[in-house]
Amino acid sequence: DMLFLGLSSDNGILVVGTTTDIASDLKGFGYNRSAVCFSRYMSDDFAAALLGRQLGQTPGTSEWSGQVLTGVRGDKLTSAAHSSARGKRALTYTTDRNEAHTWDGFAASGRYFDLTHGADALKADMETRCYQVFLNAKKGPFNATGVAMLEAPMRAALSAAEGNVRKASTRMAAS
């Protein structure tokens, strides 16, 4: 499972009613794992900076919206242009109240990337824990005992993921 963030400076993204831009195309396909980042500063590579920042976070502890990125300049957009980009589900990095930050954080489908990141991490953890059971067992029986051998690692993965979300919620409430 992969995530894709493209980078585009296509001004059509900023024009309401224009449907020939990549953001409109991606939204039309309803992709859960893809989005386009609009930026006039292509050399700053907003998309790579956002992926680098967010994929390094513990899943469940960080939203993709409201993030400050190192080395990325914020665009100054009119409210109509920004509204158009957001309506097409293009990710933007704009300056608001003298602070550049990401807006939204969703894929072209509207699904938030932090949910996808968390679900991917949970799936990988479950697969790894179950794989370890198979590696450490002489044989996995095809009965209730075999099911029970996998139940514990599955529950452990779910508890670990829930713990990440609880820790993040506690930190956010304290700040």
Side-chain angles (χ1 to χ4, degrees):
D1 297 327
M2 300 174 137
L3 297 178
F4 170 76
L5 290 185
L7 186 61
S8 177
S9 61
D10 180 356
N11 280 321
I13 293 170
L14 305 178
V15 180
V16 175
T18 298
T19 58
T20 56
D21 57 89
I22 187 68
S24 295
D25 289 343
L26 290 175
K27 182 180 176 185
F29 290 126
Y31 291 142
N32 283 326
R33 299 179 160 278
S34 301
V36 65
C37 298
F38 174 83
S39 179
R40 291 188 176 114
Y41 307 107
M42 297 295 282
S43 64
D44 291 356
D45 210 341
F46 160 33
L50 182 57
L51 284 170
R53 184 195 188 292
Q54 291 307 111
L55 295 179
Q57 303 294 316
T58 300
T61 64
S62 180
E63 294 179 4
W64 292 45
S65 62
Q67 300 302 322
V68 176
L69 304 174
T70 303
V72 179
R73 292 171 282 179
D75 281 300
K76 290 189 169 81
L77 303 176
T78 65
S79 63
H82 197 224
S83 180
S84 176
R86 293 180 75 201
K88 295 175 184 183
R89 299 197 183 113
L91 303 180
T92 57
Y93 191 73
T94 61
T95 301
D96 180 46
R97 298 181 186 187
N98 295 320
E99 186 71 49
H101 59 88
T102 59
W103 278 82
D104 304 312
F106 40 56
S109 66
R111 180 178 181 182
Y112 287 95
F113 276 117
D114 59 322
L115 296 178
T116 301
H117 185 211
D120 287 351
L122 176 60
K123 178 184 172 203
D125 189 26
M126 287 178 157
E127 289 172 349
T128 300
R129 290 172 189 257
C130 289
Y131 187 66
Q132 288 299 316
V133 169
F134 291 125
L135 290 178
N136 295 324
K138 287 175 102 181
K139 178 165 175 54
F142 292 93
N143 57 25
T145 303
V147 171
M149 289 171 62
L150 296 175
E151 182 181 3
M154 297 290 268
R155 288 186 182 279
L158 289 167
S159 292
E162 182 183 32
N164 288 341
V165 172
R166 281 199 181 138
K167 286 180 203 167
S169 297
T170 302
R171 279 194 303 270
M172 285 181 221
S175 55

